[in-house]
Amino acid sequence: MDLAFLHPLYEHQGPWASVYVGTPPHTEDAPHERHLAAVAVARELSARGADEDTCVAVREALEDLRHASEPHGRAVFARAGQVVLDPPLTRAPEAGVVRWGPLPHTAPLLELAGEDPLCVVAYVDRKGADFELRGALGRRDAGSVAGKQWPVHRTSTADWSERHFQLRVENTWEHNAAEIADALAVCQEETGADLLILVGEEREKRSVRERLPKRLHDLVVEAEHGAGSRLLDEDVERTRAGHVRQRAERELERFLAARAPGDDGRPGAVEGVPALVEAAREHRIDELLIRPDGPDAHREVWIGEDPDQLAVRRTDLKILGEQNSWSARADDALIRSAVATGAPALSVTPATGAAEAAGASGEEVPVGGLGALLRWT
């Protein structure tokens, strides 16, 4: 997950209100339920020590969600009477989250607004293709391409005199496949799609796939549906979930391989809070891996005003010359450091199969739930 959108949260000191809420079902009672929920959240923030202006700002933001179209919900981050960021969620939270602390509680975003593959579904036939953009927030038309319309069907006769016509049909198919592939490549570049799903007959799908630029080959998935079919939401969601799982498994495999020292004697990955804190202070985190249910995720660390001012013990910060310090969750403190250095973060929860295959001991990885791939240059 690219964390750049979180920069506004670290331009100001806390304390911060962090709230995650789901979208209620569309019923006649939904507006009233949203109002009651907003009031309850504001009351809970107040009980946790939040100032009145911030409680009011959060309550008003939540009540405004009555008119929002997001199907899953939102996260709201506020301080000093202002909502600074309120990203939509791509998954509904199982339960509401209300926090008041020195740092925004951003770790849940990795699962609730993190890996959200955007898909272009290409409905391919011999005459052209229709493109549809599909994501967690819905679907929309993404254009179409019309190739040569004739000839596209072979004749049934095997007479040698028809060979010239059959060759023209083959040429039409190849021309149209190239046109579709070119248009699909442009569509992917314009939308930034993470996946390209081809729907149609086997030959047409294969012809288009072969003509796509090599950089896109790993993004292509061929649906089982034939020509004339339309993918249901659950079909797309299954493909998107598979993509997320495979990416998490790949990163976890990289992490497992990098834990051993390299030729220079230095490991390419670390895990555990002390090692991660040291890596964060030295700006060596290249990618942060988090298993939210791990015990280290909510372990206490100490932070200063700047992202690289963090330590396992409060006295360590004083030794480093930092006079002001606050207690914070390890996952949130490490995410702040990752944002400052441009490192991405990833929830490895979808890669449970790879985690179980970590070794004979069946250890969960990263150990404690927090790990990182390192940069050394």
Side-chain angles (χ1 to χ4, degrees):
M1 180 181 187
D2 185 346
L3 302 177
F5 75 102
L6 296 179
H7 270 290
L9 298 182
Y10 305 111
E11 294 173 355
H12 308 281
Q13 295 299 319
W16 285 88
S18 306
V19 176
Y20 293 77
V21 294
T23 301
H26 293 289
T27 65
E28 291 184 2
D29 296 331
H32 182 61
E33 291 175 359
R34 173 62 68 198
H35 169 73
L36 293 178
V39 170
V41 166
R43 187 180 299 119
E44 184 172 350
L45 283 173
S46 180
R48 291 173 178 262
D51 59 277
E52 183 178 355
D53 288 345
T54 299
C55 293
V56 170
V58 171
R59 189 196 72 220
E60 291 177 347
L62 296 181
E63 289 184 336
D64 286 345
L65 292 181
R66 288 178 295 178
H67 312 294
S69 58
E70 287 87 0
H72 304 292
R74 277 186 181 269
V76 177
F77 302 100
R79 62 170 292 279
Q82 277 193 319
V83 172
V84 177
L85 196 67
D86 60 340
L89 304 179
T90 57
R91 286 178 50 199
E94 293 182 3
V97 175
V98 180
R99 292 286 174 84
W100 176 252
L103 288 180
H105 183 40
T106 52
L109 289 174
L110 298 184
E111 293 197 332
L112 299 180
E115 292 290 302
D116 175 27
L118 191 62
C119 306
V120 172
V121 181
Y123 298 101
V124 177
D125 61 30
R126 297 176 183 178
K127 296 182 179 181
D130 295 322
F131 302 147
E132 186 179 57
L133 198 63
R134 302 279 283 269
L137 302 181
R139 69 175 77 185
R140 66 176 175 84
D141 179 76
S144 62
V145 57
K148 291 182 178 180
Q149 304 299 296
W150 187 88
V152 293
H153 298 290
R154 292 177 173 180
T155 59
S156 58
T157 179
D159 189 281
W160 66 268
S161 63
E162 296 295 327
R163 291 180 59 191
H164 179 66
F165 182 80
Q166 307 288 33
L167 181 61
R168 291 180 63 192
V169 172
E170 292 286 342
N171 290 339
T172 299
W173 284 3
E174 292 181 6
H175 173 274
N176 288 352
E179 291 265 321
I180 294 168
D182 288 345
L184 186 55
V186 170
C187 184
Q188 186 278 332
E189 186 172 356
E190 290 178 345
T191 61
D194 306 286
L195 280 173
L196 304 176
I197 305 177
L198 302 181
V199 183
E201 298 299 336
E202 291 301 320
R203 172 165 180 162
E204 281 72 40
K205 290 187 295 187
R206 184 174 64 252
S207 296
V208 171
R209 183 172 194 159
E210 290 172 349
R211 288 165 175 77
L212 285 168
K214 287 186 178 180
R215 65 179 178 84
L216 299 181
H217 285 187
D218 290 341
L219 306 185
V220 179
V221 176
E222 295 185 19
E224 296 179 359
H225 298 62
S229 302
R230 279 295 184 263
L231 289 192
L232 301 176
D233 289 341
E234 49 264 38
D235 297 322
V236 176
E237 185 54 37
R238 189 161 47 247
T239 301
R240 295 170 73 246
H243 174 78
V244 170
R245 184 181 63 255
Q246 290 170 11
R247 167 158 158 66
E249 289 174 352
R250 287 196 303 269
E251 293 307 292
L252 204 53
E253 288 172 2
R254 284 182 60 210
F255 174 82
L256 292 170
R259 290 193 299 184
D263 295 337
D264 58 1
R266 299 184 297 190
V270 294
E271 56 198 332
V273 172
L276 286 164
V277 164
E278 181 181 357
R281 281 204 303 257
E282 298 176 359
H283 298 182
R284 287 193 285 109
I285 292 179
D286 194 49
E287 182 178 37
L288 186 63
L289 304 181
I290 295 181
R291 184 163 45 82
D293 62 348
D296 281 353
H298 52 78
R299 179 172 166 179
E300 179 186 73
V301 297
W302 292 88
I303 62 168
E305 293 182 357
D306 296 326
D308 56 358
Q309 294 172 336
L310 70 164
V312 176
R313 292 176 294 274
R314 190 173 195 175
T315 52
D316 293 342
L317 276 184
K318 291 184 177 180
I319 293 173
L320 295 172
E322 176 60 32
Q323 298 303 312
N324 298 317
S325 59
W326 299 269
S327 171
R329 288 174 57 110
D331 52 4
D332 291 330
L334 290 168
I335 287 175
R336 180 177 73 152
S337 295
V339 171
T341 58
L346 178 71
S347 168
V348 297
T349 299
T352 52
E356 291 172 356
S361 63
E363 65 175 337
E364 292 186 318
V365 289
V367 173
L370 296 176
L373 289 157
L374 301 180
R375 57 170 77 120
W376 287 102
T377 57

